[in-house]
Amino acid sequence: MLKSYIYIFIILVNVLIGQNNIDKDPICGHMYSASKSLSLQSTLTENQEKIDITYYKLDFEIDFDDEKVIGSVIINGSVGMNQPDFIEFDFADEMIVDSVWLNNENTSFDHSNEIIKIPAPMAIPEGYNFTCRVFYHGNPPTSGFGSYNFDTHNNIDHVWTLSEPYGARDWWPCKDDPSDKADSVDIIVTVPSEQIVVSNGLLISELEMVNGKKTYHWAERYPICTYLVSIATYPYTVWYDEYIGLNGDVLPLEYYVYPDHYEMVYDNYLLTKDMMEVFAEKFGEYPFMGEKYGHVEFGRGGGMEHQTISSMGGHSQWLIAHELGHQWWGDLVTCSSFHHIWLNEGFARFSEAIWDEASQGFDAYKEYWQNHAYYGPGTVYVEEPNTAAQIFNGNLTYNKAGWVVHMLRGVMGDSLFFETLKSYGNNDSLAYADATTEDFQAVCEDISGLDLNNFFEQWIYNEYYPKYGLSWEINEIGELIITIQQLQSWQYFDMPIDIRVVLSNETLSFIVNNQYQIEEYNLGVINGLPLSVQLDPDGWILKEVQYLNNDNILPEIKNILVYPAYPNPFNPETVIEYFVPSNLGEIQSNIRIYDLQGRLIDEIGNSKSNIGLNKVFWRPDSKPSGTYFIQINANNNYYTQKIQLLK
């Protein structure tokens, strides 16, 4: 880890190129400032920004035959010092508003352009509280990932919701923005008696009606965003477990699954409480200990972190860990707008890796990140969060954002990093509320004492990654001199970098602070000639590395030296490098590529290899994404390594 090595001896000799010009890059400067101004934008109307919603009560009946809902929503809120002209709620145009009551009086309204506009009383005093009840019906549209769905499973009626990012308005009137959490929500749903309704919080009542129907009343008493409110209905198979919290408190775990999937999901779902123990130790206690946690199956692939009850379309350990991690990162602390969605999804991806580390060891954690690397363009910050596709970019919102959290762990070290996460989740102004990137950065800096402005600017608001070139030499008095070049053209990255020097009888670790185009470091006198000099060997930085002077490296070795392929993961091309020492002379070499099933899919580099560094490029234009194995046959020795193709 970047901050955890004991053996650190660094003498920065000089900065050779680029020191005077790096801060004057107009492109980078423009990108930073533009991104930060964008973070202030809101999807709310001017009138919506002037009201605060404190409570929702959803009360509706589901008509499966006509695929419609009929009901009402009670909305409590308050007005601050700025008076609105209208009290406004988001609601799909496809839905019908039957009537609106404001403070128990029937009132006029306009419903158009997906907004219900209710004339506000004149001369509203600051702190004015209002209660609005909207009666409505209709066939909810489906937007985003499936905001409201009439579905079937095994030809049995099934309703499920997934309202992220802006889909709550498709099935109930609300202020549909993550920046305004209601203090509590009641969800009352009437369905045919064979159906089971699952929702947020605790089940308050289950009332059998005389007409063959049943009414379920769920209550969420923790603050909650509209996109995290959900329902799912089906004749589920139900079973229960429990989690014992850090203080001995008992939390009920509830699992609602399709009857025909029970045996398939059971074993992995039981891992949930083990994951909760891991996350509680790393992140702080599960944030909704007064209610429950659980899973409910729904008709979409993947999952959704509905507060206290994740909707699950799969049962892999990574999916379970991901949605559970969201209970802290997304539900406890929610991104204030979808510009900052990485605060939800990047942390949830990081939660997957933490589970790998806890259950399989640190090597599995490192391998996880190598399998989820992204080297392309685009910013983690979402500049235009208008559609689900723009917001939930798999490479940026998930993979690169997860790498950002992973890199922060490397920069800060475990102790400060996990202290920061706990402080972030327990912050008085952020817990059960919302946060921006700037809020999170402030917590990181407060706990660590580090200036992380460059880190956040280059990794959140800017694009791409560093391409490092490393060379080294031993000077006349036995000092190891390394030179690091940043070979990319887009910007220079400011990062601490681990350097590992392998000698015949010991391994030395150093940290160098690197930020310019070319920098030279004197690592002092070492005991002998290095067998290898490695840059960031444990993979704490999203990067590519080229070893620039391998033609004269390792003059004492007697056999082939094979270097890790780079980039890895890769698209569209990776480079395979190996060093042939002078004692072997020219040799015959062969490189073969195999898939996971052991099938030979390509053969490259079947030729003579010269003394020194040899490079072979593999560009699998027609091959699908996945894991492959490189096998190098050189001098009657076989060398194998794993690579990942991402398309």
Side-chain angles (χ1 to χ4, degrees), residues 360-374:
Q360 302 179 62
F362 191 67
D363 285 344
Y365 173 85
K366 293 193 296 183
E367 184 177 1
Y368 179 93
W369 292 117
Q370 293 307 311
N371 291 335
H372 292 83
Y374 173 63

Side-chain angles (χ1 to χ4, degrees), residues 13-19 483-485 516-520:
V13 175
N14 55 24
V15 177
L16 302 179
I17 300 175
Q19 183 172 359
T483 301
I484 299 176
Q485 301 183 41
Y516 301 118
Q517 184 180 16
I518 301 179
E519 292 185 79
E520 186 177 280

Side-chain angles (χ1 to χ4, degrees), residues 59-79:
D59 188 348
F60 61 90
E61 181 176 345
I62 300 176
D63 184 337
F64 285 89
D65 294 331
D66 293 333
E67 296 190 346
K68 67 180 181 181
V69 298
I70 310 101
S72 69
V73 175
I74 295 174
I75 308 170
N76 293 347
S78 64
V79 175

Side-chain angles (χ1 to χ4, degrees), residues 43 167 177 228 298 310 351 379 479 518 521 552 575 591 611 621:
T43 60
D177 189 86
L228 293 172
F298 73 155
S310 291
S351 301
T379 62
E479 296 171 325
I518 301 179
Y521 306 86
N552 61 18
V575 182
I591 300 175
I611 295 171
D621 295 323

Side-chain angles (χ1 to χ4, degrees), residues 73-126:
V73 175
I74 295 174
I75 308 170
N76 293 347
S78 64
V79 175
M81 62 183 296
N82 297 317
Q83 298 187 9
D85 297 318
F86 296 89
I87 295 172
E88 296 179 352
F89 304 116
D90 301 295
F91 198 41
D93 290 339
E94 293 88 340
M95 301 293 284
I96 306 299
V97 178
D98 298 311
S99 65
V100 176
W101 294 71
L102 181 63
N103 296 332
N104 296 316
E105 293 185 3
N106 196 316
T107 186
S108 63
F109 65 91
D110 176 73
H111 180 206
S112 59
N113 299 317
E114 301 211 333
I115 294 287
I116 303 173
K117 300 180 69 169
I118 305 159
M122 299 296 291
I124 302 177
E126 183 178 348

Side-chain angles (χ1 to χ4, degrees), residues 562-565 568 576 628-632 639-643:
V562 179
Y563 298 93
N568 185 24
I576 304 159
Y628 296 88
F629 293 92
I630 301 169
Q631 185 188 79
I632 302 175
Y639 309 86
T640 302
Q641 58 179 277
K642 182 169 65 175
I643 54 175

Side-chain angles (χ1 to χ4, degrees), residues 421-488:
L421 293 191
K422 292 176 181 179
S423 180
Y424 177 53
N426 287 285
N427 186 283
D428 289 341
S429 62
L430 304 179
Y432 305 101
D434 59 279
T436 65
T437 300
E438 292 80 6
D439 292 328
F440 176 60
Q441 179 181 338
V443 175
C444 292
E445 293 182 335
D446 181 61
I447 297 299
S448 70
L450 300 172
D451 182 352
L452 296 171
N453 195 57
N454 285 346
F455 179 92
F456 280 87
E457 285 184 335
Q458 65 200 14
W459 291 113
I460 301 298
Y461 300 108
N462 272 6
E463 301 181 272
Y464 295 106
Y465 59 96
K467 293 183 177 181
Y468 295 116
L470 175 70
S471 59
W472 63 265
E473 63 179 357
I474 303 293
N475 67 14
E476 64 277 1
I477 60 172
E479 296 171 325
L480 175 61
I481 311 297
I482 68 167
T483 301
I484 299 176
Q485 301 183 41
Q486 295 200 33
L487 306 174
Q488 71 278 0

